Amino acid sequence: MSAESPPGLDLARLRSRLDADRPGLVTGPLSARLIEGGRSNLTYVVDDGARTWVVRRPPLGHVLPTAHDMVREHTVISALGSTAVPVPPTVLLCTDDAVLGAPFYVMDFVEGTPYRRRDQLDALGADRTRRIAEAMIDTLARLHAVDHTEVGLTDFGRPEGYLERQLRRWGKQLDASRSRDIPGIDTLRERLSARLPSSPAPTIVHGDYRLDNLLVDDTDRVTAVLDWEMSTLGDPLTDIALLVAYTEGEALGDEISSVATAPGFPPVRDLVARYTATSGRDTSAMGWYLGFAFFKLAVILEGIHFRHTQGKTVGEGFDRIGASVAPLVARGNATLEED
C-alpha cells in the first residue's frame, strides 16, 4: 500500500480524527489504497503496519439526494453486529465534512473475496460455486429474519407505503441524472406506478444485495455483508428481486457482475426456490418486483454513467456501464408484459 493519500482520503486528517476519537488505536504511519471495483461509495483499505481497517466515503462528484448516506450504513452495520448476519465491526463515524470533505466511517477489515466475475468462480469449480450461491441466499434469508425492533432499528425506516416511496425515489434519482434519452424508461416507470402490489410484513432490507457485496472466505462461508447505503425497513421481496435482476441481466458484464454465467451457479428459479424455502416467504407474485428491480438497477447505472460523463468517478470500467442501461429497461418492460 501507498503512504501517499489516494483521491478522497487525506491520511493526515484521518489519523488526527482517529487519534482524537480512538486514542491509541493507530500505532504506526498510515498507508492506504482504493479498492478497485467500487461503483458508488469509495472504499479504502487503510493499514498502520499492525492493524487494517476499511474507510467508506461518498463519491467525489455528483451526489444524488438521499444517496451515499454514511450515517445509515454505520447505523445498520453496528446494529447487526449482535445478529447472525455477518458484518464488520465498526470503529468510527465522522459527520464533519471538514475532515475528508464528506461524512465517512471506519470499520475493521474482514478477510474474504467479493466475487464479481465469472473467471473468479471458474477457478473454484461448479460445486464450490453452487455452495457460494446458496450461502448468499441463506444469508439474505437470515437478514430478513432479524427482528429490527430487537436490534434498535425501530426508526430505521417507514415501512408503510414503502414501494410507492421507492418508486418515487428512484424516479427522482433518474430525473437528477438525466443526460440522454433512454427508450422505454418512462413507460416502465408508469407501468410500475399503476400496478403497485401489497407488501408482506416489513424487514430490514439491504437495498443492493448481490454476490460481490459479500465477502466469502476459503471455506465458502460468507464473512461479511457490505455496502449498506440503501438499507432501510421495507419489503423483503425487493431484495430477492434485485438479486435476480443482477443474475438475469444479460447486458451486464464484468463491470457489474458476470457470476451468474459460471458453471454451477444455480438458475434463477433455484435461487428463488431456496429463498422461499429458507425464509418461508411467499414469492409467487414476483413479476412487479422484478420489473421494479430492473428499473432501479437501470437508474443506479445511469447515475454512475452521469458521474462518468462529468469526469467525477474514480476507477476503471465506467465508460462501459452506460451501455447496460437501455437493455435493463427493455428487460423490465418485458417482465411486466409477461406477468
Side-chain angles (χ1 to χ4, degrees):
M1 288 197 287
S2 172
E4 298 180 359
S5 295
L9 183 66
D10 186 309
L11 287 176
R13 291 180 178 177
L14 174 64
R15 174 67 186 266
S16 294
R17 177 49 63 104
L18 285 169
D19 286 347
D21 289 10
R22 295 294 302 273
L25 179 70
V26 181
T27 59
L30 291 179
S31 58
R33 64 180 173 87
L34 176 71
I35 297 178
E36 295 298 332
R39 294 293 179 256
S40 182
N41 288 326
L42 301 182
T43 307
Y44 310 84
V45 175
V46 178
D47 188 288
D48 72 347
R51 293 185 59 183
T52 306
W53 303 275
V54 171
V55 176
R56 289 268 286 173
R57 60 150 292 160
L60 302 181
H62 177 72
V63 177
L64 296 172
T66 76
H68 317 296
D69 191 334
M70 297 295 96
V71 175
R72 189 162 208 82
E73 284 200 37
H74 182 270
T75 297
V76 69
I77 293 174
S78 298
L80 290 172
S82 61
T83 73
V85 181
V87 290
T90 52
V91 174
L92 171 75
L93 171 67
C94 177
T95 58
D96 182 0
D97 288 358
V99 180
L100 296 184
F104 68 94
Y105 71 94
V106 183
M107 55 187 167
D108 284 348
F109 178 82
V110 176
E111 294 287 349
T113 300
Y115 291 103
R116 174 177 291 115
R117 304 186 315 275
R118 170 179 174 156
D119 64 285
Q120 293 176 288
L121 295 178
D122 283 344
L124 304 180
D127 287 344
R128 290 189 62 191
T129 294
R130 175 183 51 77
R131 288 199 299 271
I132 289 171
E134 291 173 349
M136 170 184 66
I137 293 296
D138 295 348
T139 301
L140 181 61
R142 283 197 292 274
L143 169 63
H144 292 164
V146 171
D147 186 331
H148 56 275
T149 62
E150 291 186 357
V151 296
L153 293 178
T154 304
D155 299 323
F156 193 60
R158 294 180 294 126
E160 299 79 11
Y162 171 75
L163 293 180
E164 182 180 5
R165 287 198 311 277
Q166 277 286 293
L167 185 57
R168 187 167 60 247
R169 172 192 174 183
W170 289 103
K172 289 180 179 178
Q173 304 284 51
L174 170 65
D175 293 338
S177 296
R178 281 188 189 269
S179 62
R180 57 179 181 162
D181 179 55
I182 305 170
I185 198 164
D186 290 315
T187 298
L188 178 56
R189 181 179 180 178
E190 291 165 4
R191 285 174 168 172
L192 291 167
S193 180
R195 298 171 56 182
L196 282 169
S198 298
S199 292
T203 70
I204 301 169
V205 171
H206 181 275
D208 195 23
Y209 193 84
R210 62 183 194 267
L211 186 55
D212 64 306
N213 276 340
L214 311 181
L215 297 180
V216 181
D217 68 12
D218 292 338
T219 68
D220 305 330
R221 180 178 62 93
V222 177
T223 56
V225 181
L226 306 175
D227 294 5
W228 293 87
E229 66 177 280
M230 289 185 280
S231 59
T232 188
L233 301 181
D235 190 325
L237 297 184
T238 57
D239 269 346
I240 186 65
L242 186 62
L243 177 58
V244 168
Y246 276 115
T247 59
E248 273 200 342
E250 297 88 347
L252 304 181
D254 287 346
E255 294 81 24
I256 306 300
S257 179
S258 58
V259 294
T261 63
F265 198 95
V268 165
R269 64 180 180 276
D270 290 354
L271 294 176
V272 175
R274 187 176 184 92
Y275 174 81
T276 303
T278 306
S279 68
R281 299 184 184 279
D282 180 6
T283 57
S284 60
M286 287 292 289
W288 187 93
Y289 291 93
L290 288 174
F292 174 66
F294 284 115
F295 176 73
K296 176 178 173 179
L297 181 52
V299 174
I300 291 172
L301 298 191
E302 186 64 13
I304 296 170
H305 169 76
F306 182 64
R307 290 197 299 275
H308 170 71
T309 62
Q310 294 184 316
K312 296 178 178 178
T313 51
V314 178
E316 299 179 358
F318 292 103
D319 57 327
R320 296 184 292 273
I321 284 178
S324 296
V325 175
L328 288 169
V329 172
R331 187 71 182 90
N333 278 309
T335 297
L336 293 183
E337 289 168 1
E338 294 165 4
D339 185 42

